[in-house]
Amino acid sequence: MSRILVVEDELHLAEGLRFNLEAEGYQVEVVETGEAALERLLPGAARFDVVVLDVMLPGKDGFSVMRELRQAGQFIPTLMLTARGHAEDILQGFEAGADDYLTKPFELAILIARIRGLLRRREWLAAAIPAAPRLEEGDTFTFGDKSVRFDLLELHVRDQVFPLTLMEANLLRFLIQREGKPVPRKSMLEEVWGLHEDTDTRAIDNFIVRLRRYIEPDPTKPRHLLTVRGVGYRFVAAPAGEE
Ligand code: CA
């Protein structure tokens, strides 16, 4: 049985979620603060399969919780609950390491579908690990001494391995699929994040900065993830002059 940690201080909503998720056959634990969520999720604590994390919490907010979990190497699938009409919140959530989001108020059926999606991905990943040598075409992209393992959400650079969030992997895949072509920020936002709102697209830049830290030997002089001034970014697999 899958276990879900719900981090939500509005008791009415939290109990409604518990009731409905339990009716779906999940085991649910509710905590009301970010601090309590960290205690429950940091290494050595109980095992959960998915986290539903509200942004607005007393004390430590959802963004800080998300960031601290990822920094601690806790990559549990996490769905963030953000306020409607705050596209910046959504991007900030993804930047912090969230895998998915819903804006409040949301339809319960959608929340359950999103949770199922996250659990399914987790199962795929778990299934992929023992079968690591048997790679399916398209799940790995290799360029130079780097390879992106989309099946494992990992970026391998020589003997180093960097874990990627789903969003980082999706963004990288999106750029790789358009190798050599300038990709506008707006299309990244729409097609990777599914955001159609009039969002400050510069938020994407933070994702690029992080990916550059993994990929580029000198992130200040990028050779693979190039800025296209006034447009967006361009991925180059084999920069001129590189073996
Ligand atoms: Ca709240």
Side-chain angles (χ1 to χ4, degrees):
M1 190 192 290
S2 297
R3 299 190 64 197
I4 303 177
L5 182 68
V6 172
V7 190
E8 171 60 86
D9 60 310
E10 290 161 61
L11 277 187
H12 183 71
L13 179 56
E15 287 311 316
L17 286 177
R18 182 208 294 279
F19 179 82
N20 285 286
L21 291 170
E22 283 178 353
E24 290 292 314
Y26 297 115
Q27 215 174 313
V28 179
E29 186 175 327
V30 173
V31 292
E32 295 167 40
T33 64
E35 287 80 357
L38 286 170
E39 266 173 41
R40 301 298 287 136
L41 292 167
L42 286 177
R47 188 189 67 85
F48 289 93
D49 300 291
V50 165
V51 181
V52 176
L53 175 63
D54 189 35
V55 168
M56 296 288 285
L57 295 168
K60 213 168 256 189
D61 69 10
F63 299 127
S64 319
V65 173
M66 189 77 268
R67 226 170 277 123
E68 285 186 36
L69 286 176
R70 296 317 191 211
Q71 276 162 9
Q74 168 56 281
F75 291 99
I76 184 167
T78 303
L79 180 140
M80 289 195 85
L81 301 177
T82 63
R84 190 179 287 277
H86 290 71
E88 268 71 30
D89 278 6
I90 295 166
L91 286 172
Q92 201 182 333
F94 280 132
E95 273 171 49
D99 296 293
D100 202 354
Y101 74 94
L102 266 184
T103 54
K104 285 179 167 183
F106 50 82
E107 298 273 345
L108 195 68
I110 304 281
L111 176 81
I112 289 167
R114 296 283 182 89
I115 288 173
R116 284 210 190 105
L118 290 173
L119 286 168
R120 207 159 47 223
R121 175 155 293 267
R122 187 183 171 89
E123 281 159 23
W124 290 337
L125 291 175
I129 291 161
R134 185 182 55 83
L135 266 187
E136 285 178 28
E137 196 72 34
D139 273 352
T140 299
F141 180 82
T142 301
F143 57 108
D145 52 7
K146 297 162 265 287
S147 59
V148 192
R149 292 283 305 262
F150 289 108
D151 54 339
L152 300 181
L153 296 182
E154 286 176 355
L155 181 71
H156 293 239
V157 182
R158 287 174 301 274
D159 52 356
Q160 274 184 293
V161 179
F162 303 98
L164 298 172
T165 67
L166 268 182
M167 275 300 145
E168 288 170 341
N170 288 345
L171 176 60
L172 205 48
R173 191 195 287 276
F174 191 73
L175 289 167
I176 287 170
Q177 283 165 342
R178 287 153 188 78
E179 209 267 318
K181 300 191 187 84
V183 182
R185 285 189 178 79
K186 194 168 165 350
S187 74
M188 289 153 72
L189 203 60
E190 285 181 0
E191 293 180 54
V192 179
W193 280 271
L195 290 175
H196 295 272
E197 291 154 84
D198 197 12
T199 311
D200 180 2
T201 56
R202 279 172 303 181
I204 289 171
D205 302 350
N206 298 324
F207 272 85
I208 298 288
V209 166
R210 203 159 50 228
L211 289 173
R212 276 179 180 155
R213 259 185 240 134
Y214 304 150
I215 291 175
E216 307 285 357
D218 178 359
T220 64
K221 295 192 186 71
R223 297 170 58 78
H224 295 289
L225 282 172
L226 308 180
T227 302
V228 183
R229 201 172 291 272
V231 179
Y233 294 96
R234 183 159 64 95
F235 176 77
V236 176
E242 192 166 281
E243 285 302 299

